[in-house]
Amino acid sequence: MEVNPYVAVGILLLMAYVFFYLPAGYIRHVLIVLLVFIIGYALVMTVSEMPTFGAVDTPAHNVVPERYLGRAPEETGAVNVVTAIITDYRAFDTLGEVVVLFVAIVAALSNLKAR
Amino acid sequence: MKDIVIRTVCRVIVPFVQVYGLYVIFHGHLSPGGGFAGGAILGSSMVLFALSFHLEAGAQKLGHETSSYLESGGGIWYILIGLLGLALGSNFLTNRAAGLGFGLPGQLFSGGMIFLLSLGIGVKVASTMFTLFYNLSEEEGSGGDHQ
């Protein structure tokens, strides 16, 4: 289903107006119910356009998992494809996870020890 | 806890848990597991030791200084392995193109830098778990057992 972008922006502006500026009252309640129905309709339409479970032509079944599953042992030398992905293809992402651990412990220690 | 049953069981169990954690780390590229899972097992073995004995006993096995050095060293080790690929004339954190040592896929010493990166991640996760546990439980002011 195609959505007019002006309509989408208008709905967002209406949401902002209702939530931040409109005083409590009868009109506010009616508009909130209307917005809930519009958003719910959009979500249901989104779900109805998703591919069926296990379909062959799902967009996730493209060239990327074929390459990872088929050529990971020869390209990375690791038999375990999960480890091959997280420490070779996505090693920079794993560096970010290591930094997250470091930041977590720095935050905890600076809160506990700073007295 | 001064319970002799818990102390005896933990004294027997902890070495096996640690060996299993090292196994999961070192076989990360061969079997399910890897640095994060193995490091969690290793760290929880140290937490188990400190819980069943005494917090001071746990701190004697792995002190604050050592733990924080391991903590920072794991991250620095990871970045150094990444810079090794840069020094060998390739991109940051490259494995195959940098021409690191490759064995036959399926053997323990294969996969180039994956082995070393898993080691760094495992040490990092284990020391993070232990340091967080130790500082949080120290903050309580109880210090383990006062029974």
Side-chain angles (χ1 to χ4, degrees), chain A residues 76 79-80 83 88 91 109 113, chain B residues 28-29 31 36 78 95 102 135:
Chain A
T76 66
V79 184
N80 186 359
T83 304
D88 194 309
L109 288 190
K113 298 286 179 186
Chain B
H29 53 296
S31 59
F36 288 101
Y78 195 100
N95 190 10
F102 266 80
N135 282 291

Side-chain angles (χ1 to χ4, degrees), chain A residues 22-37:
Chain A
L22 204 60
Y26 180 69
I27 302 177
R28 183 183 164 102
H29 288 179
V30 168
L31 278 178
I32 283 178
V33 170
L34 186 69
L35 278 175
V36 164
F37 272 104

Side-chain angles (χ1 to χ4, degrees), chain A residues 73-80 83-84 86-88 91-92 94-95 97-98 101-102 104-105 108-109 112-113 115, chain B residues 28-29 31 36 71 78-79 92-93 95-96 102 106 110-111 113-114 117 121 124-125 131-132 135-136 138-139:
Chain A
E74 59 174 297
E75 280 188 350
T76 66
V79 184
N80 186 359
T83 304
I86 67 168
T87 54
D88 194 309
F92 201 68
T94 311
L95 176 63
E97 292 185 35
V98 170
L101 283 176
F102 186 75
I105 201 161
L109 288 190
L112 289 175
K113 298 286 179 186
R115 291 194 182 170
Chain B
H29 53 296
S31 59
F36 288 101
E71 161 76 32
Y78 195 100
I79 296 173
F92 186 62
L93 282 169
N95 190 10
R96 185 69 158 180
F102 266 80
S110 67
M113 71 171 186
I114 290 179
L117 288 185
I121 295 170
K124 173 104 181 133
V125 172
T131 312
L132 273 182
N135 282 291
L136 288 175
E138 208 177 34
E139 194 64 19

Side-chain angles (χ1 to χ4, degrees), chain B:
Chain B
M1 276 180 277
K2 287 199 165 57
D3 194 356
I4 190 165
V5 176
I6 292 177
R7 287 198 173 190
T8 311
V9 168
C10 287
R11 187 179 291 141
V12 174
I13 276 181
V14 162
F16 288 102
V17 174
Q18 289 184 341
V19 167
Y20 182 66
L22 287 175
Y23 164 78
V24 170
I25 291 176
F26 286 141
H27 286 246
H29 53 296
L30 303 177
S31 59
F36 288 101
I41 295 172
L42 209 57
S44 57
S45 80
M46 289 185 269
V47 171
L48 176 67
F49 181 82
L51 275 180
S52 62
F53 283 80
H54 198 273
L55 282 185
E56 318 301 320
Q60 277 180 2
K61 296 285 182 192
L62 184 68
H64 281 123
E65 289 285 314
T66 320
S67 185
S68 56
Y69 278 127
L70 283 178
E71 161 76 32
S72 311
I76 294 174
W77 172 256
Y78 195 100
I79 296 173
L80 281 181
I81 297 293
L83 289 178
L84 184 64
L86 210 59
L88 288 172
S90 183
N91 287 329
F92 186 62
L93 282 169
T94 42
N95 190 10
R96 185 69 158 180
L100 293 167
F102 266 80
L104 282 175
Q107 287 185 344
L108 180 58
F109 292 105
S110 67
M113 71 171 186
I114 290 179
F115 183 73
L116 303 169
L117 288 185
S118 293
L119 182 63
I121 295 170
V123 167
K124 173 104 181 133
V125 172
S127 60
T128 299
M129 276 187 70
F130 188 68
T131 312
L132 273 182
F133 160 76
Y134 202 85
N135 282 291
L136 288 175
S137 56
E138 208 177 34
E139 194 64 19
E140 299 283 324
S142 64
D145 61 329
H146 282 302
Q147 293 178 3

